[in-house]
Amino acid sequence: MTQDKKDWPLWEVFIRSKQGLNHKHVGSLRAADSTMAVENARDVYTRRQEGISIWVVPSNLITASDPSDEESLFEPSASKVYRHPTFYDVPDGISHM
Amino acid sequence: MTKQEALYNYVLRLGDDSLILGQRLAELCGHGPILEEDIALTNISLDLIGQATLFLDYAGALGGEKKSNDDLAFLRLEKEYVNALLLEQPNGHFGDTIMRQFLFDAFRKPLLESLQHSSEKELASIAEKALKETKYHLKHSSEWVIRLGDGTDESHDKIQGSLHTLYRYSHELFFEDESDFLLQKSKIVPELNSIKLEWEKTVKNVFEMAGIALPENDWKFEGGRQGRHSEHMGFLLTELQYMQRTYPNMEW
């Protein structure tokens, strides 16, 4: 990764809040390397016990969908209600659905 | 000197080291070099002030004058503070702040590791709690010393300069007097020789990775442990004590 030394790379931060849940994107920050990015994420994003695990990913390694493709990517599913499991009753005691 | 008096002196030193360094780092709140580091330094400051609260609370109970931790933190005279001189040194540039932190953390971690097994239960439990925080402080300051030393020519020269300025204050961390000897005899606190070996190992290891060298001269400054402070201390205390001096007994 080549970069201007004066401009630290941007990192995306993912935090897992407790055992069994998945990591969630919480924000981004700048850091010189991955070790410092984890430390910075600890300081910036877990001050109030938000997490038990941290992932950092260089922002430039993320490939994103193009906002102008929104219509073709996402709208077709709007009319397909049968894809939602709304015709079932969720049993008691199932959380995180 | 009774054991209780010795323990009071000892715990006061632990508390003052935390308090004064915590106050120094608090000065950087909103002035850190980058947002991430601003928050990191302020977190460390809060950890240290939290440790000071516990140590001074304990000292107050040992002291027999029924002083609260606030009395001890805010209402003593300069010569009654017994922190090491290293901790009252100004923040300087970022390298100075980090080097001061590193020299202290590398000492504090093995000390707390030993104190958590002290036969004085209260001391042991405060040490155990503080150790978790201090381990992170040392990791943070070590990582930065390595990166600054092994970074650009400018960052290398600056952190080498910080070491040159601050190294002479580090010897005082291992100051011992009759309070220490009395407590060591009862196995309540460790001999600082053993802590110094650990400190030297950490310092050597990190400086090697950072590519910076220990100063050749063997100049040593001390006085803080006996209440003789550097010129910076008065200014620091003026700010620290301002509210209690101006509005006695105020609470918030």
Side-chain angles (χ1 to χ4, degrees):
Chain A
M1 217 184 329
T2 57
Q3 80 220 8
D4 184 350
K5 277 192 171 171
K6 281 185 181 161
D7 205 11
W8 290 347
L10 195 64
W11 302 79
E12 299 302 320
V13 180
F14 300 81
I15 305 280
R16 186 170 75 195
S17 58
K18 55 180 170 177
Q19 282 305 348
L21 293 191
N22 48 355
H23 287 73
K24 279 213 173 90
H25 184 241
V26 293
S28 56
L29 50 75
R30 289 192 182 275
D33 54 42
S34 60
T35 308
M36 295 305 275
V38 170
E39 285 195 16
N40 288 345
R42 180 265 188 192
D43 285 320
V44 176
Y45 292 111
T46 68
R47 302 181 73 225
R48 301 179 185 86
Q49 293 189 299
E50 289 93 336
I52 55 156
S53 170
I54 299 171
W55 287 352
V56 293
V57 180
S59 305
N60 63 359
L61 294 186
I62 290 180
T63 308
S65 63
D66 185 344
S68 64
D69 289 343
E70 198 183 342
E71 257 179 34
S72 60
L73 285 178
F74 308 118
E75 271 190 26
S77 63
S79 58
K80 300 178 173 76
V81 289
Y82 51 85
R83 289 182 180 172
H84 292 271
T86 49
F87 308 100
Y88 304 93
D89 291 326
V90 178
D92 292 339
I94 302 291
S95 46
H96 312 310
M97 290 262 309
Chain B
M1 186 188 297
T2 65
K3 195 185 89 182
Q4 182 154 342
E5 285 161 351
L7 195 56
Y8 171 78
N9 293 337
Y10 191 90
V11 173
L12 202 58
R13 287 174 194 165
L14 291 168
D16 283 354
D17 281 358
S18 299
L19 177 70
I20 300 303
L21 184 57
Q23 172 69 14
R24 271 291 182 233
L25 292 175
E27 291 169 13
L28 289 171
C29 182
H31 300 276
I34 51 165
L35 179 143
E36 291 83 351
E37 195 54 29
D38 192 291
I39 296 178
L41 292 173
T42 310
N43 281 348
I44 295 173
S45 169
L46 285 171
D47 286 348
L48 289 167
I49 290 170
Q51 294 174 14
T53 307
L54 297 173
F55 282 129
L56 294 181
D57 211 31
Y58 182 33
L62 291 164
E65 288 176 74
K66 292 237 178 339
K67 287 195 172 175
S68 71
N69 55 29
D70 280 349
D71 293 336
L72 289 172
F74 297 119
L75 296 176
R76 274 179 291 159
L77 301 173
E78 180 180 320
K79 64 178 182 348
E80 295 168 323
Y81 285 83
V82 288
N83 57 285
L85 293 179
L86 173 69
L87 306 164
E88 69 201 46
Q89 297 310 303
N91 290 326
H93 58 64
F94 182 60
D96 295 333
T97 298
I98 286 297
M99 183 55 74
R100 182 186 62 200
Q101 189 71 38
F102 172 68
L103 292 171
F104 176 68
D105 293 339
F107 157 74
R108 212 29 162 358
K109 179 176 160 267
L111 179 64
L112 293 172
E113 272 169 347
S114 174
L115 287 176
Q116 68 176 338
H117 304 298
S118 169
S119 54
E120 285 292 327
K121 288 286 163 273
E122 176 88 27
L123 182 58
S125 87
I126 300 174
E128 191 190 347
K129 179 173 188 295
L131 177 61
K132 291 185 191 122
E133 297 165 345
T134 301
K135 277 183 179 168
Y136 180 75
H137 301 171
L138 176 60
K139 181 167 158 49
H140 186 79
S141 56
S142 308
E143 300 280 9
W144 267 118
V145 168
I146 293 165
R147 278 161 184 76
L148 293 172
D150 192 28
T152 63
D153 288 344
E154 185 186 353
S155 72
H156 174 272
D157 291 349
K158 279 190 163 177
I159 193 82
Q160 179 70 68
S162 305
L163 176 58
H164 197 80
T165 311
L166 293 169
Y167 189 66
R168 64 191 72 162
Y169 295 105
S170 60
H171 308 280
E172 194 191 11
L173 296 171
F174 306 99
F175 172 89
E176 292 177 326
D177 66 8
E178 62 269 36
S179 299
D180 299 77
F181 302 139
L182 198 150
L183 297 172
Q184 286 166 8
K185 221 178 285 173
S186 317
K187 305 277 181 212
I188 294 169
V189 305
E191 290 181 18
L192 288 184
N193 274 341
S194 62
I195 306 299
K196 189 165 192 184
L197 288 177
E198 290 281 308
W199 180 82
E200 282 170 345
K201 209 160 67 182
T202 309
V203 163
K204 187 170 168 274
N205 188 18
V206 168
F207 289 171
E208 215 167 85
M209 283 192 273
I212 55 177
L214 288 176
E216 282 181 12
N217 75 53
D218 203 21
W219 204 3
K220 294 170 185 166
F221 279 165
E222 60 174 45
R225 288 279 186 250
Q226 295 136 303
R228 286 182 280 111
H229 293 279
S230 56
E231 61 180 298
H232 310 295
M233 186 68 170
F235 295 96
L236 182 149
L237 288 180
T238 303
E239 197 162 300
L240 177 71
Q241 299 186 337
Y242 174 81
M243 292 301 273
Q244 278 303 319
R245 296 286 188 201
T246 311
Y247 305 100
N249 302 320
M250 78 159 303
E251 287 180 35
W252 60 280

